[in-house]
Amino acid sequence: MKNFNLTHRIVMAPMARMRSYGNIPQPRVALYYCQRTTPGGLLISEATGVSETAMAYQNMPGIWRKEQIEAWKPIVDAVHSHGGIFFCQLWHAGRVSHQDCQPNGESPVSSTDKPFADDPSNEFTPPRRLRTDEIPTIINDFRLAARNATEAGFDGVEMHGAHGLSPFADYMESGDTDPKRLELYMAKSLNRFEILYCHMIEPRMKTVSEIFECRESLTPMRNAFNGTFIVAGGYTREDGNKAVAEGRTDFVAYGRLFLANPDLPKRFELNAPLNK
């Protein structure tokens, strides 16, 4: 992966843990990541907020304050001491938030002021549509967060788009009317900036938890993108191997299996049983 020499094709996917009290990652997080680190293996951090307005839920980590940077440093150092390569996933949750998670109890900011149509438990607060003149502030939040991640020692950053920017997903009412054209447009757009890798959710994961049989494919996007390609979405050892063997991806990211099996690469290597 350009300057990174990886020893296997198994990636730890970003997973929200919500144990960063006060939006500051706790020392115990180092153990969590180290347990899942292998020499030459790529880990992607849990979603990390770029500002006060970026938070979706309580107790998620951030990287916009000095104390957050300092809290991440020993965690990153611990992963590096075990030979791992560690990227920080930066995000802004947009309208997937509640006013209790926002500064001064304000409404979440988004590209729209439309509330979620299906929110019977009022989990999310109707958003405020961002003004055009406010957009540079959000961009600057990401720029500063990327600098902060570098200061904390991360090897790189991943820009979070999650299920909304994975072309075929319809999570949180974010589906697109023409995903096939969208995936090619995205790939070609990313090529202009020499992005290191593209990490996409498979079309079969149209929701968060279930796999659906479908004919859609990320292969056209993979072929159009010039960098390293990573897929995720309910993979097993067998279909992960198949995806690599058929040239549909360079790496496969695992979430739930990595959560239940900290030594997942070793278990895959030995074809050992997995924890549920």
Side-chain angles (χ1 to χ4, degrees), residues 81-97:
S81 71
H82 285 71
I85 297 164
F86 203 11
F87 275 48
C88 183
Q89 190 193 62
L90 303 179
W91 87 330
H92 192 296
R95 69 174 183 164
V96 185
S97 184

Side-chain angles (χ1 to χ4, degrees), residues 184-203:
L184 291 178
Y185 177 83
M186 290 171 62
K188 293 173 182 177
S189 297
L190 294 174
N191 287 339
R192 292 163 46 209
F193 302 102
E194 299 183 356
I195 300 295
L196 180 66
Y197 68 72
C198 180
H199 179 188
M200 282 289 145
I201 306 292
E202 286 284 4

Side-chain angles (χ1 to χ4, degrees), residues 23-37:
N23 304 131
I24 299 174
Q26 303 297 299
R28 67 175 68 91
V29 176
L31 175 61
Y32 166 77
Y33 283 110
C34 283
Q35 287 173 328
R36 291 159 180 81
T37 302

Side-chain angles (χ1 to χ4, degrees), residues 49-88:
V50 299
S51 70
E52 284 187 301
T53 68
M55 310 311 289
Y57 307 106
Q58 300 286 356
N59 301 322
M60 300 194 74
I63 197 161
W64 70 86
R65 302 200 310 261
K66 185 66 177 178
E67 57 263 46
Q68 294 166 332
I69 300 171
E70 295 303 315
W72 274 115
K73 283 181 179 179
I75 299 169
V76 177
D77 288 345
V79 170
H80 285 161
S81 71
H82 285 71
I85 297 164
F86 203 11
F87 275 48
C88 183

